[in-house]
Amino acid sequence: MSTKAADVVVIGAGIVGAACAWEFAREGMSVTLIDSGAPGGGATAAGMGHVAVMDDSEPQFALTRYSQQLWREIVDELPDDCEYETCGTLWIAADDEELAEVRRKQQAYTRRGIDAEVLDAAALARAEPNLRSGLAGALRVPGDLVVFPPCVARWLIAGATECGAQVRLGTAAVEISDRGVRLADDSLLPAGAIINATGHGAERLTPGLSLQPRKGHLAITDRYPGFIHHELIELGYLKSAAAVGTDSAAMNVQPRITGQMLIGSSRQTGQESTDVDMAILGRMLRRAMEYLPALARVSTIRTWTGFRAATADKLPLIGRCSSGQRSSQGRLYLATGHEGLGITMAPGTARLLVDAVMGRESAIPPEPYLPARLEKGDSA
Amino acid sequence: MSRQVTVAVNGKSVSVPAGSTAAVAVAAVGLSQFRTSVDGEPRGPLCGMGICFECRVTINGRAHRRSCQTVCTAGMEICTDGP
Ligand SMILES: Cc1cc2nc3c(=O)[nH]c(=O)nc-3n(C[C@H](O)[C@H](O)[C@H](O)COP(=O)(O)OP(=O)(O)OC[C@H]3O[C@@H](n4cnc5c(N)ncnc54)[C@H](O)[C@@H]3O)c2cc1C
Ligand code: FES
């Protein structure tokens, strides 16, 4: 009960909480990181680890680009188990209509300083011989990269620990109050600032966030080195990711440094069970085979699911939480709601929060991500 | 006398009794390493009944086939240089 107050208590040791703990600790602040389970064992272990610049909206572009720059600063230090590789992304256009969209995207990316080139049908076939013939072309974004997220989370936590952070695993936080964070064993962690980085379950500690869990399926294959060379995503994925309330499956296949391939991905709302749903898994695999027919001859060795935390406006919740203000005296900050981009956005999220807590100016405007934009008038 | 089937292991011709599995053909050319593990270690058949997947080889260009479960057919090409 008489624990000395930490400058920051971070709840949740997924990629987002791990990145926060690391950034705060590097600033010389005293940090306690807590997780009810294993570090990186939540959505972070389920995700694909694609670190991609995305342009669904200006703020999405700003945060993904900023974060990818921050990723580049650390990738050379990552140990081998983090499986880092800059394989680039191919956004595949199936027909001329999608190719027109590819051209628009190419301009949008290059205008903002991101390398991107349009591949015509022949260039696409040369780049990825296992794709079916008859595709219209693709947008190649060479700077996108891939990591193995749970190992990165572990590495970030080790870095935070080296800077003096305390890590408490195996005990859940059950309440955030004006006195600090109360754990399931009834101990109390007093804190200057509290970061709720508990992913899609963040509402259990901070009610009223209106997060929607979106279930996703993935499959991983045995090792087939050289089968594909880029992360291959059908352009229609963007529509699929943006559509709220309907089940969808879009082709998203990622080469791993091991020669394996991760095959995704599906989106389902209103699901609570973590079980693999054969119907949607089948739909997802058939979709991938429509683009990569030779996948039919490939062995899949494991399938699993995970949940993304979606917000109403498709942007994450990063910054001070005003709805929890009265009970936590304005010390509560949120870092969740990243939907399918939490791996990508983790480093930028952590920097924005450090800036917010320390009262510094950020490298990108923080307003679009502030939780206040989605809060209902009445605060708790 | 049983009928023989001729297959190629890493390009080398070998005849085995009809009904033999690809694992028999690989062993018949004197090889015990069927593939190489992630860590670069030699691997070969362990269970002989399709459970352990240790005996995988490339058959007619298709990787990760269990040699203990695949019956040799005339002209089959078996390669042990796979992952
Ligand atoms: C199928 C799929 C594919 C994806 N692909 C990508 C991709 O390619 N690129 C990308 O950028 N993103 C991707 N994502 C999204 C990404 O995985 C998530 O956005 C990200 O992992 C979220 O990280 P997090 O740290 O916020 O949450 P989590 O990893 O879920 O971490 C939350 C942690 O909080 C802990 N916790 C929860 N409640 C409590 C409590 N009360 N007390 C203590 N601890 C608690 C949990 O144990 C957990 O460890 C994908 C997601 C899915 C499902
Ligand atoms: S030896 Fe075990 S599967 Fe073939």
Side-chain angles (χ1 to χ4, degrees):
Chain A
M1 284 297 283
S2 58
T3 329
K4 195 170 153 290
D7 294 329
V8 187
V9 170
V10 180
I11 314 169
I15 192 90
V16 172
C20 290
W22 188 61
E23 290 287 4
F24 278 110
R26 290 205 305 165
E27 293 286 348
M29 300 177 91
S30 62
V31 175
T32 303
L33 174 66
I34 59 180
D35 197 294
S36 49
T44 296
M48 291 182 87
H50 185 215
V51 174
V53 177
M54 303 278 280
D55 73 335
D56 183 48
S57 65
E58 205 56 52
Q60 188 191 64
F61 184 84
L63 185 53
T64 52
R65 177 175 60 177
Y66 176 46
S67 294
Q68 197 183 66
Q69 284 163 354
L70 297 173
W71 271 103
R72 288 230 177 77
E73 290 174 15
I74 62 166
V75 286
D76 289 333
E77 294 170 46
L78 293 175
D80 287 350
D81 65 3
C82 293
E83 297 182 6
Y84 152 68
E85 189 180 28
T86 299
C87 59
T89 307
L90 289 183
W91 294 95
I92 314 275
D95 52 31
D96 288 343
E97 190 188 337
E98 290 188 352
L99 193 59
E101 173 62 9
V102 154
R103 291 190 205 288
R104 190 205 61 76
K105 273 174 94 67
Q106 193 262 346
Q107 283 169 11
Y109 276 64
T110 47
R111 197 170 50 235
R112 289 134 153 171
I114 302 291
D115 264 2
E117 62 171 323
V118 177
L119 303 188
D120 63 15
L124 176 58
R126 274 196 305 276
E128 296 288 352
N130 273 319
L131 280 171
R132 75 166 165 86
S133 58
L135 294 165
L139 180 72
R140 179 165 177 266
V141 185
D144 286 348
L145 51 105
V146 160
V147 291
F148 184 50
C151 286
V152 178
R154 221 166 47 196
W155 180 83
L156 289 167
I157 294 166
T161 312
E162 269 172 40
C163 300
Q166 305 284 315
V167 183
R168 282 186 67 162
L169 301 175
T171 312
V174 291
E175 189 195 9
I176 299 171
S177 73
D178 55 352
R179 293 160 61 224
V181 178
R182 196 162 58 80
L183 304 185
D185 63 5
D186 225 23
S187 57
L188 183 77
L189 301 179
I194 298 161
I195 315 286
N196 182 350
T198 56
H200 66 90
E203 277 182 288
R204 282 198 295 269
L205 290 169
T206 311
L209 301 179
S210 304
L211 287 176
Q212 193 182 48
R214 294 178 94 191
K215 184 173 176 176
H217 286 71
L218 289 178
I220 192 155
T221 71
D222 212 324
R223 287 171 290 144
Y224 298 86
F227 191 95
I228 55 172
H229 308 280
H230 303 78
E231 176 134 359
L232 305 179
I233 313 183
E234 66 170 294
L235 201 64
Y237 172 90
L238 297 169
K239 280 179 239 150
S240 152
V244 181
T246 47
D247 290 1
S248 65
M251 190 270 301
N252 182 345
V253 185
Q254 178 185 87
R256 304 295 310 183
I257 216 164
T258 55
Q260 292 173 284
M261 285 174 279
L262 260 183
I263 306 178
S265 66
S266 65
R267 281 180 161 76
Q268 291 172 287
T269 50
Q271 301 275 326
E272 273 167 30
S273 156
T274 55
D275 292 354
V276 170
D277 168 347
M278 286 302 165
I280 189 101
L281 178 71
R283 202 170 128 191
M284 181 183 100
L285 294 175
R286 276 193 301 278
R287 188 68 184 165
M289 281 187 280
E290 281 172 28
Y291 283 83
L292 292 162
L295 275 183
R297 291 156 60 87
V298 155
S299 314
T300 291
I301 58 173
R302 197 164 74 86
T303 57
W304 68 93
T305 66
F307 288 91
R308 312 169 180 91
T311 62
D313 65 358
K314 298 172 221 154
L315 289 171
L317 302 171
I318 307 167
R320 179 173 272 148
C321 175
S322 38
S323 68
Q325 198 146 22
R326 205 172 302 159
S327 59
S328 57
Q329 295 188 336
R331 286 180 294 182
L332 173 60
Y333 295 78
L334 298 177
T336 182
H338 296 85
E339 214 270 339
L341 285 170
I343 309 302
T344 303
M345 291 174 166
T349 299
R351 286 282 176 99
L352 287 173
L353 280 173
V354 168
D355 295 338
V357 169
M358 298 183 75
R360 289 192 312 213
E361 200 176 321
S362 292
I364 58 170
E367 291 79 13
Y369 324 107
L370 292 178
R373 74 186 192 277
L374 294 177
E375 275 161 18
K376 300 176 191 100
D378 208 358
S379 53
Chain B
M1 279 300 282
S2 68
R3 204 166 53 81
Q4 297 285 113
V5 176
T6 303
V7 300
V9 177
N10 299 335
K12 190 170 161 187
S13 230
V14 60
S15 291
V16 291
S20 302
T21 63
V24 171
V26 175
V29 300
L31 289 174
S32 57
Q33 174 166 357
F34 283 50
R35 65 184 184 92
T36 309
S37 80
V38 182
D39 297 325
E41 290 176 0
R43 287 286 189 270
L46 178 69
C47 70
M49 58 184 190
I51 304 298
C52 71
F53 282 68
E54 290 294 7
C55 64
R56 282 169 286 154
V57 295
T58 300
I59 296 180
N60 295 336
R62 192 163 168 186
H64 300 296
R65 309 303 293 164
R66 283 167 294 175
S67 61
C68 77
Q69 297 298 301
T70 311
V71 174
C72 287
T73 55
M76 180 181 272
E77 290 177 15
I78 303 164
C79 283
T80 63
D81 57 1

